[in-house]
Each structure stands twice: as structure tokens, then as C-alpha cells.
Amino acid sequence: MFRRIIKIDEEKCSGCGLCVRACHEGAIGLVNGKARLMREDYCDGLGDCLPACPENAISFEEREAPAYNEAAVLAAKKNAGQSGCPGAALRAITREASSVEREAAPVSPVSRLRQWPVQIKLVPVNAPFFNGADLLIAADCTAYAYGRFHEDFIRGRICLIGCPKLDQTDYAEKLAEIFAANDIKSITLARMQVPCCGGLEKAVMRALLASGKSIPCQVKVISSEGKIIN
């Protein structure tokens, strides 16, 4: 049938995942760091995802497409465990040990953590270790997904962790106070490639703006398979 359906411009897409979260039908997914319409029959053509996209990468088009299948959408939601969050969908990840891992002698991992506490909610705004620090702000799951997290991310940095979905809070105000009150040299944000982690990234960006400071900031996105994709 000829109907209205969304169109995603992958060139404009930043892979933030906000559209995935906004699509209540589960029609959109992330593939290789880009949003993609996964099921045309899941798209109801109402466009809840359009205002969620910060890059204006989503628009409507009129074309031949399967009819919206509400029954299939409801069944998929039920099979997904009613979680309501695409990032919480169950998956099993199978890994094979490399030849180096199989042959190498066991070694004790070394912690690179330089301070305590690490939770954004618990750390004092004026903690002395913030001054002159390269700051790492990490989503809770990143250290579990990425095997070399201590070496590649925590080493040489002061580390703060949080999850806006589980804490049900907006970290922007607390982070803005930390940025404003201390001499932060740089910020690295490590987040997962799931929609809820977009909330942490948005909080950091709002905090930078509110602090009135220009601090170099880089964002690293990690897939659930443990790969750095951005």
C-alpha cells in the first residue's frame, strides 16, 4: 500500500539512539552506529521519533510500504519482556578466545582507579582530586562491556560513573557545579550504544554549557559486544 512512513538520513545520523527510545513501536534500531528503520510494518507513520532527533536526520516520505501491523508490534513488546527500553532487550554474546588469550599465562589485572567515591551522586563537588584532572565520566555498564576499560579509559583519569535510567536523576546540575568549581583539563565520556545512555551524554553537554567553561570533551560509544564504535 502507498502510505506515509519515516525516512532516516544516515549521513546526518550521529548514532545517539534517541530515536530508538522515542519509537514506542520498536521500528528503529542501531546498526553499525547508525539509526535504521528495521521493520516497516512496525512504523505507524505518526513520527514520535522526529522531534527526538537532534540532527534532524528523520523525515516523512510517501511510498509503497507494508501496512502498520499493530498486532505484531504488541506481540514483539510482550516477547521483549515488557521492559519498555530497547537497550534492555535480552541478548546472548558468544565469544571465542584468541590464540594469544589461550596461550598467555594468567596475569593479575591492575586497577587504575585513583580516587573514591566514584558515583556522581556521592562525590563532593569540591573534591581536591578534581583540580588539574583529566575527567572520565562513564556509564555504569561500560566497564563490564569493554575488557580493557581500566587501561584504556580509567588510567590517568579521575573517574565518575552513573546511570540516569537506574538513578532516575538528571546529573547536569551536579556536573555543572563540578566543572565550574574546579580546573578540569579534559573530559572523556564513555557510554554504551543504548538509548538510555543518551541521557548521560545530554547531561554532560548541558553541564558544560551551564558551567560557562570551554573544556575539551570527547565521547566514546561502546557496543554491547565490547567494541568502540565512535
Side-chain angles (χ1 to χ4, degrees):
M1 64 180 297
F2 196 82
R3 71 181 184 95
R4 186 170 73 165
I5 196 167
I6 66 162
K7 179 181 179 180
I8 301 173
D9 186 338
E10 292 193 6
E11 292 296 321
K12 292 182 178 179
C13 176
S14 64
C16 68
L18 294 178
C19 60
V20 180
R21 185 177 183 180
C23 179
H24 304 298
E25 286 71 34
I28 306 174
L30 290 176
V31 178
N32 297 325
K34 297 289 185 177
R36 183 176 297 177
L37 180 58
M38 308 297 290
R39 290 283 301 261
E40 293 183 350
D41 59 334
Y42 282 18
C43 178
D44 60 8
L46 297 179
D48 288 344
C49 54
L50 269 69
C53 179
E55 308 298 335
N56 294 318
I58 307 177
S59 59
F60 285 122
E61 63 176 347
E62 299 278 345
R63 63 174 175 83
E64 285 288 338
Y68 171 57
N69 191 337
E70 184 178 12
V73 170
L74 294 175
K77 288 182 178 180
K78 183 176 181 179
N79 291 336
Q82 307 288 346
S83 69
C85 175
L90 297 178
R91 334 179 31 183
I93 300 172
T94 302
R95 305 183 192 277
E96 292 185 5
S98 67
S99 59
V100 173
E101 290 173 325
R102 288 193 294 266
E103 296 171 5
V107 295
S108 298
V110 177
S111 173
R112 300 298 181 180
L113 193 64
R114 300 172 58 194
Q115 101 286 344
W116 192 264
V118 294
Q119 287 284 347
I120 298 173
K121 292 174 63 177
L122 300 179
V123 70
V125 170
N126 293 304
F129 46 71
F130 281 135
N131 280 313
D134 292 303
L135 184 62
L136 170 67
I137 301 173
D140 287 351
C141 300
T142 52
Y144 295 94
Y146 187 73
R148 286 180 50 88
F149 197 81
H150 273 255
E151 288 299 320
D152 294 353
F153 284 95
I154 297 180
R155 186 175 187 175
R157 297 185 175 102
I158 295 300
C159 178
L160 295 180
I161 66 172
C163 175
K165 183 174 180 65
L166 296 182
D167 288 343
Q168 295 183 338
T169 188
D170 185 353
Y171 300 120
E173 183 176 351
K174 178 75 173 286
L175 291 174
E177 292 179 11
I178 292 174
F179 299 161
N182 301 281
D183 179 24
I184 305 294
K185 292 168 56 180
S186 69
I187 299 169
T188 298
L189 170 64
R191 53 159 290 189
M192 296 297 296
Q193 189 192 15
V194 294
C196 48
C197 264
L200 182 60
E201 182 174 346
K202 290 176 67 176
V204 171
M205 298 309 167
R206 292 202 311 273
L208 272 171
L209 184 63
S211 72
K213 290 190 173 181
S214 178
I215 305 173
C217 180
Q218 62 173 336
V219 179
K220 296 294 183 181
V221 181
I222 300 171
S223 71
S224 54
E225 290 83 8
K227 305 293 185 182
I228 298 177
I229 61 174
N230 182 28

